[in-house]
Amino acid sequence: MSLSAVVLLCMFGTVTSEACAVPSAQQWLVTGLQTQLENGVKQQSSPSPSVVMALNLAGGRDSTATKRLIQDIKGIKDMTSGKVALYVLSLQSFCVDPKDVPTAGGRVNVVSALEEKTNEEIKHYYDTGTPKTTNYQLALDILALCVEKSPDAKNAAATLIKIIKGCQSKGCFDVDTAAMVALALSCVHDGMSKGSKMEGAITETLRVITAQILDSQQESGIIGNIYSTGLAMQALSVTTEFYPAGAWKCTKTIDEVLRKMYEGAFTNPEAGSQILPSLVGKTYLDVATLNCFSDPNITVHYTVINQLIGPYFNYSITVKVPKGSVLLAALEAAQHVNPTIFSFQTESTSWGPMVISIHGVNGSSDDKTYWQFLSGEKPLDQGVGSYKPTDNEHIVAKFSTY
């Protein structure tokens, strides 16, 4: 067995728990992905609404991203319906009312614009047999309208059900589209009275759609391919009543997604934005129920300094880790974001893990050198496996002598 295979086996092991959640030992991978997406958004003049929404679902909110997102609304007339739907969901995740968005040119009702574009999709279907854009975008429109409790969501859902019935045998729904359909119809279903004719039609359609998603489940746990798995996870997590218990091997899916994350599969922001919500236990249906004033993570500023032996260096990074995490999790998150600079090694001791090397620079008993950890300028009185940093704390790892 190769060394890399041994490392992966040691990191992830075999998933035996029935709980469908990221194991605490691999949580740093999720926070690393979140940090990666946040850094990307900060560099974009026009942030992606899907990336912004995913970050908000994960608890990280950037007010400057909100302002830039609102600036882009001036081009709403030229957007596809699906793009407008993403803006509705993203604004809602920021706790900005999409029906009344303050812009430089006046207040804009983005939901009304979405209703108009969705009606265009439906009219095009009845005129030509296909939506104006795609089935995926129509499903996304319905999801956003449903989250906003628009009465148009129900009528659009009825059209989507007709489309599904008309193309079941043609295989015209890939995993991504089927997952978005499941999310949209699940939302509409939850708001309907039991026993109605429409409720029965949605129930039957959801059984068909979830069966199709599950048919794409591979032995590894991946659903479709690695990039369709994120939406499929969201869909299956909210439709459990429509497929047999145990049909989705959720823990296998989580395990394989984490393996792929470790290998760098989600460097593309859009791909990362679809997988992040499921990894933090959220779906697009949660955007309207977020607590906009609570962040489950803390920010840690981390600096590594070597002024003892050449080549000298002084590098800094900002990462997020879940509240209550030990310092080791912040080091792992930094290493995941930039392994070239923030790689490190530890050694087990009776006091817990001890960092013996950072950026390829090793401590030495012969030279009496070691890596000292400080909070600002104050040395820590606990090891990296015990010390729990606070929000916005500045941790310094300094190559020192004793």
Side-chain angles (χ1 to χ4, degrees):
M1 182 181 290
S2 68
L3 178 58
S4 61
V6 172
V7 171
L8 281 172
L9 184 60
C10 291
M11 280 188 63
F12 300 111
T14 301
V15 177
T16 57
S17 172
E18 290 303 314
C20 191
V22 176
S24 57
Q26 280 79 57
Q27 188 62 48
W28 62 273
L29 284 167
V30 181
T31 51
L33 174 61
Q34 184 177 345
T35 300
Q36 171 190 312
L37 293 176
E38 287 174 343
N39 290 338
V41 165
K42 289 176 182 177
Q43 297 169 9
Q44 296 171 340
S45 57
S46 296
S48 163
S50 59
V51 173
V52 170
M53 174 172 54
L55 289 171
N56 290 342
L57 286 167
R61 295 180 181 83
D62 184 344
S63 59
T64 60
T66 314
K67 293 176 182 177
R68 283 179 283 149
L69 205 68
I70 290 174
Q71 288 174 356
D72 291 341
I73 290 175
K74 60 188 177 185
I76 197 169
K77 290 184 179 179
D78 298 323
M79 296 179 189
T80 64
S81 67
K83 187 71 174 287
V84 176
L86 284 174
Y87 273 91
V88 168
L89 292 169
S90 185
L91 289 166
Q92 182 64 260
S93 72
F94 264 121
C95 294
V96 174
D97 184 0
K99 301 184 188 71
D100 187 25
V101 183
T103 69
R107 308 190 86 83
V108 176
N109 187 334
V110 186
V111 176
S112 178
L114 177 59
E115 289 172 341
E116 290 179 12
K117 288 183 177 289
T118 304
N119 287 333
E120 290 175 5
E121 297 276 4
I122 294 171
K123 183 179 184 303
H124 197 275
Y125 165 72
Y126 283 110
D127 289 344
T128 68
T130 61
K132 184 177 181 180
T133 57
T134 63
N135 291 325
Y136 178 94
Q137 290 201 45
L138 178 57
L140 180 56
D141 299 344
I142 295 167
L143 173 60
L145 290 174
C146 177
V147 167
E148 285 300 311
K149 295 181 170 53
S150 167
D152 286 16
K154 181 178 177 181
N155 293 333
T159 300
L160 183 59
I161 290 172
K162 287 183 180 180
I163 294 174
I164 294 168
K165 287 182 177 179
C167 68
Q168 282 180 40
S169 60
K170 301 177 185 177
C172 59
F173 283 81
D174 57 23
V175 174
D176 282 322
T177 303
M180 189 56 71
V181 168
L183 285 167
L185 294 185
S186 177
C187 179
V188 176
H189 178 271
D190 290 346
M192 300 199 70
S193 57
K194 297 295 181 181
S196 67
K197 184 177 180 180
M198 181 73 173
E199 192 265 347
I202 292 178
T203 295
E204 181 56 34
T205 305
L206 282 171
R207 287 185 180 134
V208 170
I209 286 294
T210 53
Q212 181 177 331
I213 296 171
L214 290 166
D215 283 345
S216 299
Q217 185 177 202
Q218 301 175 24
E219 181 61 30
S220 65
I222 295 301
I223 306 170
N225 59 50
I226 186 60
Y227 300 110
S228 60
T229 298
L231 278 181
M233 290 171 69
Q234 290 192 51
L236 292 174
S237 69
V238 299
T239 57
T240 54
E241 64 183 287
F242 302 108
Y243 60 86
W248 175 28
K249 308 302 180 185
C250 182
T251 51
K252 292 187 72 172
T253 302
I254 290 283
D255 188 38
E256 188 65 14
V257 165
L258 292 173
R259 290 178 189 272
K260 295 296 185 182
M261 286 180 69
Y262 181 73
E263 295 169 1
F266 299 101
T267 54
N268 180 282
E270 294 299 322
S273 73
Q274 291 192 348
I275 198 70
L276 181 60
S278 289
L279 297 176
V280 296
K282 300 289 186 181
T283 75
Y284 292 164
L285 298 180
D286 292 310
V287 296
T289 58
L290 292 176
N291 180 348
C292 298
F293 307 101
S294 175
D295 190 340
N297 300 314
I298 61 168
T299 297
V300 179
H301 308 286
Y302 175 48
T303 299
V304 294
I305 301 173
N306 166 31
Q307 297 174 328
L308 285 182
I309 59 174
Y312 305 130
F313 55 82
N314 186 325
Y315 298 117
S316 294
I317 191 173
T318 297
V319 297
K320 281 186 176 289
V321 294
K323 290 178 181 178
S325 296
V326 296
L327 178 55
L328 184 61
L331 270 62
E332 289 171 335
Q335 178 177 250
H336 181 66
V337 173
N338 195 333
T340 302
I341 291 177
F342 295 100
S343 61
F344 71 98
Q345 295 180 343
T346 62
E347 182 180 273
S348 296
T349 74
S350 58
W351 296 92
M354 179 178 70
V355 175
I356 59 173
S357 173
I358 297 178
H359 194 58
V361 177
N362 302 307
S364 168
S365 57
D366 293 337
D367 298 331
K368 294 186 177 181
T369 55
Y370 74 109
W371 281 99
Q372 181 184 33
F373 284 84
L374 307 96
S375 174
E377 298 181 354
K378 181 182 178 181
L380 301 185
D381 56 6
Q382 293 177 289
V384 296
S386 302
Y387 185 78
K388 296 181 179 181
T390 57
D391 192 28
N392 282 311
E393 186 170 0
H394 186 192
I395 298 295
V396 178
K398 186 176 182 179
F399 197 51
S400 307
T401 60
Y402 61 90

